[in-house]
Amino acid sequence: MIDKIPKPPEGVLQAAGSPRLRPGWVRPLGLIGMTLGVLLLPLIGLLALLSSGEEAVQRWLASKEEKERLRTKKQDEKRRDAIIAERGLDRLFDGNWQDAAGQFLLRWYSHSTHHQRLVLATEEGIALAAPPRRVTVRREKRMEIVARLSTEEAVLVDPFNGEFETGMLLLRFRDGSWLRVEAEETPSDLHRYLLRQPLTDN
């Protein structure tokens, strides 16, 4: 899945014909959901604190082998996070609005006013699906293909080449620019799709 886009510089926006950068007005049900979310923030914070405490107790009670496994996992996560920060993969895209990924984002809401895109991989290329307009509920049932990218335009890649178990993938365009894709589960259908592809120099 690809989430909402960042706002480009004003000059880039004007050069692109000032396309719409907002997903449309929020429906009443969405406003209620956002309000409830704000009210529940203290409860969510408390649950997160309790979860952290539970994890600390589990680490304390773990066997020597389990502690070693957890230590290795933590080191891998730190190394992964360092790579993400070094390569700028904590952003939605590479940041160059003039390249293919940036130009694709500038056309984002001309396809659909819904802010998210579901990524589907096929033998012909990549399809992006979304409801035709912004919706609060039953998003999946209203999905339509809103854009297609051929294999000549873009491909999916794992930025870590399988070294880390993560839901992150990149939709890499042929000029080297990229969009970050987040899988909702790991391994996902997109990861399994990548495993079926022949290895390339890239």
Side-chain angles (χ1 to χ4, degrees):
M1 183 168 59
I2 306 176
D3 212 335
K4 66 181 77 172
I5 68 172
K7 185 176 180 180
E10 199 61 39
V12 172
L13 197 61
Q14 291 177 355
S18 299
R20 176 170 52 181
L21 291 178
R22 296 190 177 187
W25 57 282
V26 181
R27 293 173 178 272
L29 190 58
L31 287 172
I32 293 173
M34 292 190 325
T35 303
L36 288 175
V38 171
L39 294 176
L40 290 174
L41 278 178
L43 177 60
I44 294 171
L46 177 61
L47 291 175
L49 185 62
L50 291 174
S51 177
S52 299
E54 183 181 1
E55 289 177 5
V57 171
Q58 287 177 345
R59 286 195 300 271
W60 184 68
L61 295 174
S63 64
K64 184 178 180 180
E65 293 78 9
E66 185 67 14
K67 286 178 179 178
E68 183 60 32
R69 189 187 67 80
L70 291 171
R71 190 179 298 111
T72 301
K73 181 181 178 183
K74 196 170 188 67
Q75 289 173 349
D76 286 345
E77 289 174 350
K78 285 184 177 179
R79 195 155 52 90
R80 179 203 63 199
D81 293 345
I83 293 173
I84 287 174
E86 180 185 347
R87 299 181 184 175
L89 299 178
D90 49 351
R91 299 174 295 177
L92 176 67
F93 82 117
D94 60 275
N96 191 334
W97 289 98
Q98 306 303 328
D99 287 346
Q103 292 295 304
F104 184 77
L105 287 177
L106 287 172
R107 301 189 297 272
W108 198 250
Y109 291 123
S110 66
H111 304 141
S112 165
T113 57
H114 197 279
H115 65 281
Q116 292 177 332
R117 298 290 184 274
L118 184 67
V119 180
L120 308 168
T122 70
E123 296 304 322
E124 292 75 31
I126 306 299
L128 291 98
R133 60 182 182 278
R134 184 166 182 166
V135 293
T136 305
V137 296
R138 296 194 302 170
R139 177 195 64 175
E140 292 77 10
K141 291 186 177 181
R142 305 183 188 190
M143 285 286 183
E144 296 179 2
I145 301 297
V146 296
R148 292 183 186 274
L149 294 166
S150 71
T151 54
E152 298 301 316
E153 296 175 279
V155 293
L156 276 173
V157 297
D158 180 352
F160 307 112
N161 294 318
E163 184 179 359
F164 303 109
E165 186 175 301
T166 172
M168 182 190 298
L169 294 170
L170 298 182
L171 181 55
R172 179 172 291 159
F173 290 77
R174 289 301 178 182
D175 63 357
S177 59
W178 51 265
L179 301 177
R180 192 185 69 226
V181 176
E182 294 293 337
E184 295 184 334
E185 58 181 17
T186 306
S188 67
D189 288 340
L190 295 179
H191 288 88
R192 287 185 279 272
Y193 166 84
L194 284 182
L195 289 174
R196 296 195 299 269
Q197 303 309 302
L199 293 176
T200 67
D201 293 339
N202 294 326

